[in-house]
Amino acid sequence: MAGKPKLYYFDGRGKMESIRWLLAAAGVEFEEEFLETREQHEKLLQDGSPLFQQVPMAEIDGMKMVQTRALLSYIAAKYNLYGEDLKERALIDMYVGGTDDLMGFILIFPFLSAEDKEKQRAFIVEKATSKYFPAYEKVLKDHGQDFLLGNSFSWADVHLLEAILMVEEKSDVLTGFPHLQAFKARIGSIPTIKKFLQPGSQRKPVPDDKYVETVRRVLRMYYDMKAN
């Protein structure tokens, strides 16, 4: 019998957070090993575990997997969150691709200078409210059902809720999007997700200076990223 998935990453959100979200939504318990020193990271690389010498990495079902999208696709398929056929999978990939783009603007935010953070905050809110949220609002409005696929809960719903909550940490953005407001409440009340949203879960908080310092130290990052 396979053990719990084990995740290798920093003690913070980053690219691993969506993997935590999806495992939690599927009701899967997982373990974590946090990278805190350069030596830990180098040892992981020397062991040859991460195929492309990078994290996130997860040990799952006897595999040591890297590449965030591959991990998410595998978890979604394994736990029946990846649609019923090729058409549904294509739609899920499209919806997830949009939320990935939006979350990408947010992932770099902690690493920006103070001046660039203000620019990036405005950029994130503008993109969310003018491009991404209107698209998901239209999908939900057009079919009038509970989930992005209609009546089937999927990875796309988990990913969208994660994105909504990330943007809401920057600004109150759902005014004018009634279907997304109802969607947020509905998906957030699913028992496994509700549990993940409670204090004390393995969900990570908003990245702080300590997280940024750890990532820079472990990965030897000596530069500031630039805002969009």
Side-chain angles (χ1 to χ4, degrees), residues 52-162:
F52 300 113
Q53 300 186 8
Q54 65 192 45
V55 290
M57 186 183 83
E59 292 183 1
I60 183 169
D61 294 341
M63 300 181 289
K64 293 181 178 179
M65 292 188 67
V66 292
Q67 293 293 341
T68 307
R69 189 59 181 260
L71 274 159
L72 289 166
S73 297
Y74 180 78
I75 294 164
K78 178 179 174 69
Y79 295 104
N80 300 315
L81 295 171
Y82 207 178
E84 298 293 331
D85 53 35
L86 284 176
K87 181 179 178 181
E88 288 193 352
R89 288 193 174 197
L91 289 172
I92 289 169
D93 286 341
M94 180 175 68
Y95 298 144
V96 167
T99 45
D100 268 345
D101 290 346
L102 178 57
M103 287 194 284
F105 302 139
I106 302 171
L107 286 176
I108 68 167
F109 186 85
F111 299 91
L112 299 175
S113 66
E115 180 182 354
D116 279 346
K117 280 183 179 178
E118 291 309 308
K119 296 177 184 177
Q120 190 73 355
R121 187 188 309 275
F123 178 84
I124 290 165
V125 171
E126 193 277 328
K127 286 295 183 182
T129 56
S130 69
K131 181 178 181 179
Y132 296 101
F133 288 174
Y136 297 115
E137 179 79 5
K138 184 178 187 302
V139 170
L140 293 167
K141 180 179 179 181
D142 285 352
H143 62 50
Q145 297 185 69
D146 287 349
F147 309 109
L148 287 173
L149 282 185
N151 60 6
S152 299
F153 176 58
S154 75
W155 167 26
D157 301 304
V158 181
H159 217 51
L160 178 54
L161 178 60
E162 182 188 1

